[in-house]
Amino acid sequence: MANENQNNNRINNLEKAFSNLNKQLVEKERLLPFSFDEFLKLSMENPYLIFRDIFQVFYDMVHYYVQGKETQNKNTISDGKYIDYDFTKLLIDDCDNPFFADKLFADRFMNLVNGFKDGTRKNQIVLFDGPPGSGKSTFLNNLLQKLEEYTHSKEGAMFTTYWKLDIEKLGGYSLTKDLLEAIKKDDQSSEDSNLISTQDKYLEFLCPNHDHPILHIPKKYRKTFLKDLIDDRSIKRTLFNDKQYEWIFTEAPCSICKSLYNKLLDKLGSPKEVYKMLFVRGARFNRQFGEGISLFNPGDRIYNKPITNPSLEEKINNLIKSEQINYTYSILAKTNNGVFALMDIKEENIKRLIQLHGIISDGIHKVGLIEESIKSLFVGLVNPGDKVHYEDIPSFKDRIIEVNIPYVLDYNTEVSIYKDQFGNNIRNQFLPGVLKNFAKIMVSTRLNTESETIKKWISKPNEYSKYLDKNNLLLKMEVYTGELPSWLNEDDLKAFTPKLKRKLLREAEQEGNKGFTGRQSINLFRTFLIQHEKPNYLITMADVGDYFLKEKSLKDKVSAEFVHSIKDLYDYNILQEVKECIYSYNQDQMKQDIVDYLFAVNFELGAKETNPYSGKEIKIDDELFSILENVLFPNEKNKQEEFRKETQIEYVSQTLAQEIKVENKPINESTQFKTILEKYTRKLKENALTPFLENENFRRAILDYDTPQFDKYDTRLKNSVNHLIKNLVTKYSYSIEGAIQITLYIIDGRINS
């Protein structure tokens, strides 16, 4: 009985799976033709969707998949508003080989795409230029995959001409010997999409050039026709005046459709009757069959022979009693209003590029004696060394748009590549920040060591000795992530003008063509993991530094100075994190110390006064002043006395006279109070770790944390260690093991400043 129920369940599941698959395939794959009248109704309802050519569809496709988040941050490298583009849906999701676009390429690509919207990218070919191993092929394959998927969706619908000739209305066939041969030939060919017998009611076929249906309204009447068709004045203004819609009024149908329309008009005597045989179908982009999208590899042989269909041509001419319609077109027609792509400008693709020159310039191609109009999005990939094949052709210069795809220059993107290759959990094998530093070292090999722009920008690099390497690569890398580092002072932030930004981005165009390729980076990272994967151990910055400094094969490729600089910066940053996390001073007491100090500076030593801000009597002596002064200026008696005098002058002239008496501010909201609190807090944090580094029990307590032995330590030490570990976990995303490991790294290395 159990087996019978199990079999029934399997049968039900099988039927359910096929039923759902059938429904999905019917909904997504079938694009049934509909009448020209229905097409015009759709045009009235949604003209912006209906009237799109390949350039507009490509623009819409990219913006459909790419999410742009607008922010406004003074530390971004943009001019005010900044758009952070997310390419996940376009180049990563559902792609066999994801492509990760860094910030520089993302902005570059979106600038290109936005040019398609206004119609300024026509009569040009876009070549994506980058060194071997930069991911160009992956990028283009993923881009074309998403374009194909988009054109199969409602949002990406493109429309093409579909003829449905009424055989009876046209008088039927004359059963000539040629027609009978054609029918016989069709009956023997199960692959021919134009099967027909003398019993068929319609002769149906697609326009091989993918003509947009609106082109079958005679050119000189189209504007008047659309004026009558569309009521909305703003839509009409857009259609009639915007450059991107200019094609509606200037383009003509292909020679096949134009001849057929004229012959049908002669035969039927009425345009309305002709339009009854003119249908519309959604375009089916299919790269595999070269429909709408054709990609050519360098080794693919060039096919120049005209494409014909003698059988269909015979039926059309027999039906309309004409021999003047030549059903002939070129291979370029298959991607008319589509994408023609060249994968690397080598071998046969060099010839293809040269052949495209006249087509790109004039949009005209000869097929025998027939003139064929071609409007395609021409794209290609090129390695820097292959530019010689077209650089010396002067007329090509203004027809080629080059978009640079270098090796990744954004370390965050490099990390994303590692996570994709080795799993997202790879980050859990590293202490926080270490994986990013590995990526930074990889990226550093791809950057130029000289930057005149940065030298002019950062006038006092010595002020950033903790943050900068000798060649300013660490600063450049931060800029290439899209944001300026927080440690830059106000003067340098203000100096980062739009003009300076443009200079720096122009320099970026010359980077990323050397150093470790994407594939080499992945292989080196794999080797590093194999060497350092250990149970219950998190990879440290010391492990990364040793790998690059001691591995013989890497010494000549990685700058030892840069590795030391990035390690020093890492040490400095983690020290600040630990100081921040162990810091546990009572904020209320600190504020009270400042209030007492501000009041006390106005009296002689030895006096006893009631502080009006707290209501408490205080004794004014060196001990009271030293609470604050010894923190701000330890062992600097002169500076302590100078600070006390300056504080008293500012308190009387500004804080008391203006902010408290005139503006009625509480003392803890005065500018002077806030400034001292900020300095007091910073200094306490800077010295927060010092007492513990000299305490051997502190190291033991760290080692024993989260074990039964931890209870043996005194309450004050346990509280400090608890406070430190919990803050490292919550504030900086350490695991408990990582927090212990990083604290021991600081203690044992005696890293302090």
Side-chain angles (χ1 to χ4, degrees):
M1 186 70 179
N3 287 338
E4 185 179 342
N5 288 336
Q6 193 174 19
N7 286 334
N8 287 336
N9 286 337
R10 287 174 178 169
I11 292 170
N12 289 336
N13 288 343
L14 186 62
E15 289 178 351
K16 181 181 178 182
F18 268 114
S19 175
N20 288 337
L21 177 63
N22 181 63
K23 182 181 178 183
Q24 290 166 355
L25 289 176
V26 167
E27 289 177 351
K28 297 190 79 172
E29 300 298 333
R30 290 189 67 194
L31 297 167
L32 297 177
F34 53 93
S35 71
F36 192 66
D37 281 352
E38 290 176 281
F39 167 76
L40 295 178
K41 288 176 184 175
L42 285 175
S43 302
M44 289 187 282
E45 294 168 6
N46 194 346
Y48 296 130
L49 175 70
I50 300 300
F51 297 121
R52 297 189 299 178
D53 62 6
I54 182 58
F55 301 100
Q56 291 160 288
V57 168
F58 184 77
Y59 170 91
D60 290 342
M61 180 275 295
V62 171
H63 283 276
Y64 175 78
Y65 287 115
V66 174
Q67 307 301 313
K69 183 180 179 183
E70 188 177 280
T71 60
Q72 199 156 10
N73 184 338
K74 71 175 183 179
N75 278 18
T76 62
I77 68 164
S78 64
D79 310 337
K81 289 183 180 179
Y82 160 68
I83 299 178
D84 186 15
Y85 295 108
D86 182 359
F87 277 65
T88 303
K89 292 181 180 178
L90 180 68
L91 300 173
I92 298 174
D93 288 351
D94 302 320
C95 295
D96 293 337
N97 296 303
F99 177 87
F100 294 87
D102 66 15
K103 175 72 179 67
L104 292 169
F105 176 70
D107 287 349
R108 207 175 290 143
F109 179 69
M110 292 308 293
N111 287 336
L112 168 80
V113 170
N114 291 335
F116 287 115
K117 184 67 174 175
D118 58 16
T120 60
R121 294 287 185 245
K122 296 174 184 177
N123 304 113
Q124 294 173 317
I125 181 170
V126 179
L127 293 180
F128 294 97
D129 161 29
S134 61
K136 301 187 301 294
S137 300
T138 300
F139 162 75
L140 187 56
N141 280 319
N142 294 355
L143 186 67
L144 296 181
Q145 174 192 326
K146 289 304 172 76
L147 177 61
E148 184 175 336
E149 291 174 5
Y150 181 69
T151 59
H152 292 177
S153 68
K154 291 180 181 178
E155 296 83 359
M158 293 184 73
F159 300 97
T160 187
T161 299
Y162 185 90
W163 290 101
K164 193 172 180 179
L165 306 184
D166 190 318
I167 296 172
E168 184 178 345
K169 189 172 285 187
L170 291 171
Y173 291 111
S174 300
L175 295 178
T176 63
K177 180 181 177 181
D178 289 339
L179 179 62
L180 291 172
E181 285 294 324
I183 293 171
K184 182 179 179 182
K185 181 180 177 182
D186 286 342
D187 289 340
Q188 292 171 348
S189 175
S190 61
E191 296 181 1
D192 196 320
S193 60
N194 297 297
L195 287 177
I196 180 175
S197 74
T198 54
Q199 304 302 315
D200 288 332
K201 187 175 180 182
Y202 298 102
L203 176 60
E204 303 180 39
F205 55 94
L206 272 168
C207 166
N209 289 64
H210 311 117
D211 282 348
H212 192 282
I214 197 62
L215 301 185
H216 298 297
I217 302 294
K219 192 187 296 187
K220 64 180 179 180
Y221 301 122
R222 279 180 212 158
K223 184 168 283 190
T224 303
F225 181 81
L226 290 176
K227 279 183 181 178
D228 295 337
L229 183 70
I230 298 170
D231 290 327
D232 192 308
R233 290 185 178 180
S234 65
I235 291 176
K236 283 192 277 195
R237 277 197 302 270
T238 301
L239 291 178
F240 297 160
N241 297 304
D242 280 15
K243 181 76 174 175
Q244 61 180 310
Y245 296 107
E246 188 178 66
W247 63 270
I248 298 174
F249 308 103
T250 59
E251 291 182 10
C254 72
S255 61
I256 296 171
C257 290
K258 188 174 182 179
S259 299
L260 182 58
Y261 176 90
N262 290 332
K263 293 300 176 184
L264 288 174
L265 187 59
D266 291 343
K267 190 170 182 69
L268 298 171
S270 166
K272 192 171 183 180
E273 292 301 314
V274 176
Y275 291 128
K276 285 181 181 179
M277 298 187 190
L278 177 62
F279 279 67
V280 178
R281 203 189 76 176
R284 294 178 177 176
F285 277 25
N286 189 321
R287 173 180 160 180
Q288 184 179 8
F289 295 105
E291 286 294 337
I293 298 175
S294 284
L295 187 146
F296 297 94
N297 289 302
D300 295 337
R301 293 182 63 184
I302 293 177
Y303 185 89
N304 284 328
K305 186 179 178 182
I307 301 172
T308 61
N309 189 331
S311 175
L312 179 58
E313 182 178 307
E314 173 60 30
K315 293 165 196 169
I316 295 170
N317 287 322
N318 183 287
L319 189 59
I320 61 174
K321 310 301 183 285
S322 170
E323 296 181 0
Q324 298 180 24
I325 296 178
N326 294 313
Y327 197 88
T328 302
Y329 57 97
S330 74
I331 193 171
L332 288 167
K334 293 175 76 67
T335 54
N336 186 46
N337 218 18
V339 179
F340 186 99
L342 302 177
M343 187 70 78
D344 287 335
I345 309 303
K346 300 177 185 291
E347 301 172 39
E348 298 297 297
N349 279 347
I350 299 172
K351 300 174 188 175
R352 284 192 178 93
L353 180 63
I354 302 302
Q355 288 177 353
L356 288 176
H357 177 249
I359 300 164
I360 294 170
S361 300
D362 306 318
I364 299 295
H365 175 61
K366 278 282 190 177
V367 187
L369 296 175
I370 298 171
E371 202 171 71
E372 190 176 66
S373 295
I374 297 296
K375 180 182 71 173
S376 301
L377 172 53
F378 295 103
V379 298
L381 306 178
V382 62
N383 291 320
D386 294 326
K387 294 183 182 181
V388 295
H389 300 306
Y390 60 81
E391 281 184 324
D392 293 333
I393 305 175
S395 55
F396 246 144
K397 288 184 178 178
D398 60 346
R399 297 298 180 189
I400 291 179
I401 302 172
E402 290 182 355
V403 181
N404 194 16
I405 304 185
Y407 302 133
V408 168
L409 298 179
D410 177 351
Y411 62 82
N412 290 319
T413 305
E414 189 80 3
V415 169
S416 296
I417 294 171
Y418 298 153
K419 289 179 181 177
D420 174 71
Q421 290 289 320
F422 301 96
N424 197 48
N425 288 332
I426 192 69
R427 59 185 175 179
N428 297 330
Q429 293 180 235
F430 291 77
L431 285 171
V434 175
L435 179 57
K436 281 189 176 181
N437 282 345
F438 187 100
K440 286 179 181 179
I441 294 172
M442 283 295 176
V443 170
S444 72
T445 67
R446 303 164 184 168
L447 299 175
N448 297 331
T449 54
E450 290 294 320
S451 173
E452 291 301 319
T453 304
I454 289 182
K455 284 182 180 178
K456 290 178 181 177
W457 172 28
I458 305 298
S459 57
K460 298 177 181 177
N462 291 337
E463 291 184 5
Y464 303 120
S465 57
K466 292 186 178 73
Y467 305 102
L468 288 178
D469 58 291
K470 181 178 68 175
N471 297 312
N472 300 318
L473 300 185
L474 285 167
L475 172 59
K476 191 187 292 187
M477 266 187 255
E478 294 300 328
V479 173
Y480 286 176
T481 66
E483 295 194 8
L484 300 177
S486 58
W487 41 262
L488 285 175
N489 61 40
E490 283 296 322
D491 289 339
D492 288 333
L493 284 174
K494 289 177 183 177
F496 194 80
T497 61
K499 183 178 179 180
L500 188 141
K501 171 199 163 185
R502 286 191 294 271
K503 284 184 178 180
L504 197 57
L505 294 183
R506 279 198 296 272
E507 283 186 6
E509 290 281 349
Q510 308 304 317
E511 300 190 287
N513 294 314
K514 62 176 185 176
F516 292 119
T517 70
R519 286 186 284 270
Q520 287 174 330
S521 177
I522 290 169
N523 289 334
L524 288 170
F525 187 74
R526 181 183 288 110
T527 302
F528 175 79
L529 283 181
I530 292 170
Q531 292 178 6
H532 293 87
E533 278 183 312
K534 302 172 190 174
N536 304 316
Y537 177 78
L538 296 174
I539 296 170
T540 69
M541 190 60 215
D543 296 326
V544 172
D546 288 345
Y547 178 69
F548 285 104
L549 292 173
K550 296 180 180 179
E551 189 75 29
K552 290 182 180 179
S553 61
L554 301 178
K555 281 187 176 180
D556 294 336
K557 297 180 180 179
V558 176
S559 163
E561 187 274 333
F562 181 81
V563 175
H564 287 303
S565 292
I566 202 169
K567 186 177 178 299
D568 291 344
L569 176 58
Y570 172 81
D571 289 348
Y572 175 78
N573 285 335
I574 61 168
L575 180 62
Q576 304 316 307
E577 290 174 0
V578 171
K579 286 179 177 180
E580 171 79 23
C581 291
I582 204 168
Y583 169 78
S584 60
Y585 286 87
N586 186 309
Q587 282 282 316
D588 291 336
Q589 183 60 54
M590 288 169 59
K591 291 176 181 178
Q592 186 60 53
D593 291 344
I594 297 170
V595 167
D596 287 343
Y597 187 89
L598 289 174
F599 176 71
V601 292
N602 299 285
F603 297 92
E604 298 292 331
L605 290 174
K608 286 186 177 180
E609 299 289 341
T610 299
N611 187 341
Y613 304 120
S614 64
K616 294 179 181 179
E617 186 180 69
I618 57 174
K619 183 180 179 181
I620 300 168
D621 55 16
D622 283 330
E623 184 178 344
L624 182 148
F625 290 123
S626 68
I627 293 173
L628 187 64
E629 291 172 352
N630 283 344
V631 172
L632 297 180
F633 307 100
N635 303 317
E636 295 182 278
K637 193 67 177 174
N638 291 339
K639 286 190 176 181
Q640 290 178 5
E641 292 174 357
E642 185 180 342
F643 175 75
R644 195 182 304 180
K645 290 177 183 177
E646 290 175 351
T647 300
Q648 195 271 337
I649 292 170
E650 183 179 352
Y651 173 79
V652 172
S653 63
Q654 179 62 32
T655 304
L656 182 63
Q658 179 63 32
E659 295 188 64
I660 294 176
K661 290 187 175 181
V662 177
E663 299 175 18
N664 294 317
K665 283 184 179 179
I667 192 169
N668 59 3
E669 289 185 13
S670 68
T671 302
Q672 188 177 24
F673 177 90
K674 291 178 181 178
T675 301
I676 295 174
L677 178 61
E678 188 273 328
K679 290 179 181 178
Y680 194 23
T681 303
R682 177 160 38 84
K683 283 290 185 179
L684 285 172
K685 287 180 180 178
E686 283 178 6
N687 299 309
L689 191 59
T690 303
F692 296 98
L693 291 176
E694 305 303 325
N695 185 348
E696 183 58 30
N697 281 337
F698 177 65
R699 187 183 188 283
R700 293 197 189 101
I702 294 292
L703 280 168
D704 291 336
Y705 185 80
D706 213 24
T707 70
Q709 286 77 17
F710 186 66
D711 290 334
K712 70 182 180 183
Y713 298 97
D714 67 72
T715 302
R716 185 173 180 180
L717 183 58
K718 284 193 296 185
N719 287 341
S720 295
V721 172
N722 262 319
H723 184 75
L724 168 64
I725 300 296
K726 287 179 180 177
N727 277 343
L728 283 169
V729 171
T730 56
K731 287 185 177 182
Y732 297 105
S733 303
Y734 285 88
S735 63
I736 290 176
E737 294 79 7
I740 292 171
Q741 198 170 320
I742 202 66
T743 306
L744 292 173
Y745 174 79
I746 287 174
I747 295 172
D748 294 343
R750 283 294 188 267
I751 300 166
N752 202 1
S753 62

